[in-house]
Amino acid sequence: MDYSMQDLMAIFAMQGFAGLSFFSVLLLMALGLAIIFGQMRVINMAHGEFMVIGAYTTYVVSEVMGGWGSWGAEYYILFAIPLAFLVAFLVGMVVEVLMIRHLYHRPLDTLLATWGLALIMQQVFRSVFGAREVSPSTPSWLDGAWTPTPMIYIPLNGLFIMGLTLVVTLGVVWLMYRSRWGLRVRSTMASREMSAAVGINTRWVDRLTFALGCGVAGIAGAAFTMISSTGPTSGTLYIVDTFLVVVFGGAGSISGTVVSAFLIAQGQSILEFFLGSSMAKVLTLLVIIGILMLRPEGLFKSKVRR
Amino acid sequence: MFEVTGLRSGYGQSEVIKSLDLTVGDNETLAIMGRNGMGKTTLFKTLVGLIEARDGKIALNGEELTKEPTHKRVASGLAYVPQGRMIFPSLTVLENISTGLETVKSKRIPHDIFDLFPVLHDMRHRKGGNLSGGQQQQLAIARALVSNPEVLLLDEPTEGIQPSIIKDIAKTLNDISEMRKITIVVSEQILSFTMEIADRLMVIESGKIVYEAPRSECDEQTISDFLSV
Ligand SMILES: Nc1ncnc2c1ncn2[C@@H]1O[C@H](COP(=O)(O)OP(=O)(O)OP(=O)(O)O)[C@@H](O)[C@H]1O
Ligand SMILES: [Mg+2]
């Protein structure tokens, strides 16, 4: 390899930044999954499809508001994000009521059932939106780049996604550690029986938690439309990486999830430049398996005695 | 008045509580004595609804609770301090107490709870899991009390706690009973502790009440015989 030092720095900076957009979407996905898994020990194989719900919602909002003139085309994304959350949240709630709550304490059945759900959802997407990938037009204020040096080129939509991820992550942290609802979630995680015995309606907590996790995946979907086009099976692209992040981060720990999403996204993005994308994935996977053999509980674990 | 009639419950094939009746008056403290495995915990879990009653009736001030889920029974005035405390180890002391406010309007911890348990105030930012057994017991009682219960159910509060602290717990329970006028049902194996707090004593054996007497008329020797094998 004959890269000069300066070239290498620029490559790292740019791949690093490409990695940051990936990191953002991955983190949003993983946060949702980690919340759900931490609270209910439910592994949601359809989590990627909830992201796609958010992505299609964003697409629909862009189409509709695009018809309202240039104002709509410029600012649809600000309406699409909360709506993506809301739609994924509501679908999540319906899924919890119709399916998940009948399968608590049966992890294997839940795995199969949510996998089936993922296939059904993909088919629904195909029937409604067609097999072709769609992508909303990027508003002009996000179309462009910031070039701090002539060699470094940082896309504005990437910055926007990062800002969004930061806001959502802080929001989740606030919800979990500062709100009454978070207290209910954390106590239910610690002991379902005892939470009921202090008067908490744990079923309702489960339902809201599942829906919230799905809603955050919906926001990930809105961000996803800015870095890639959306097809019926787009969710499957992210689900494996998302599981890796959650397992590696030590399920249920928000800081662990953040660090693990960062390492995995950055590792892959930088390796990709040198090795191509499949080798980068294989190498990342091997490293993670190696680390998990040394630390089966993930990167972070609680130090409180139980 | 807290009334239980013809209560049956158990696990799978085995019936543990076998047609049990008890009535506790307002502001009365009732102790249920019994050896290991006689069904005290099963009884308490059935009372709060963590185990489903197979038959019988549980009623608080005439309101039937038998079919209600646990969280509704708590909202109706039951509070439960389980055997082994079961505080939330990963939550701080303040957060643990806050969980007890679920069924009351104000979500602010009333300060008089720290008058009863000053040590909890000193430890308020510690994780519950890092408290000693005696401190955890106080925390579990505090968590139950902030819901302003009418009936406080305590399952073996002295288990694994050293004698000097047991005396403190007895005093606290007497203070609570006097200040708050609540009804207390406590399960126990330590007779000296029970004699300090209870108005009435019962003995449970294999899921049935086999002895009952007010404290003043109670024959300590008979109860001791029941408690030792
Ligand atoms: N989860 C369970 N499944 C099956 N049987 C159980 C279960 N828990 C308790 N038992 C049985 O029910 C009976 C009563 O147990 P319980 O825990 O109510 O007794 P206890 O009076 O509280 O005893 P201890 O003083 O040891 O706490 C025992 O024979 C016990 O083996
Ligand atoms: Mg017991």
Side-chain angles (χ1 to χ4, degrees), chain A residues 210-222:
Chain A
F210 189 82
L212 183 87
C214 294
V216 174
I219 297 181

Side-chain angles (χ1 to χ4, degrees), chain B residues 194-221:
Chain B
T194 313
M195 293 303 284
E196 278 186 52
I197 59 168
D199 300 312
R200 193 154 51 100
L201 287 82
M202 286 181 170
V203 175
I204 185 172
E205 210 156 81
S206 304
K208 285 191 166 140
I209 302 296
V210 292
Y211 178 89
E212 179 182 350
R215 174 171 57 183
S216 51
E217 297 164 21
C218 150
D219 176 8
E220 291 191 40
Q221 190 53 48

Side-chain angles (χ1 to χ4, degrees), chain B residues 40-41 83 155-156:
Chain B
K40 303 183 294 297
T41 299
Q83 184 169 11
D155 194 3
E156 289 203 47

Side-chain angles (χ1 to χ4, degrees), chain B residues 11 16 35-42 83 156 189:
Chain B
Y11 311 89
V16 177
R35 277 179 287 134
N36 292 124
M38 288 297 130
K40 303 183 294 297
T41 299
T42 309
Q83 184 169 11
E156 289 203 47
Q189 303 200 44

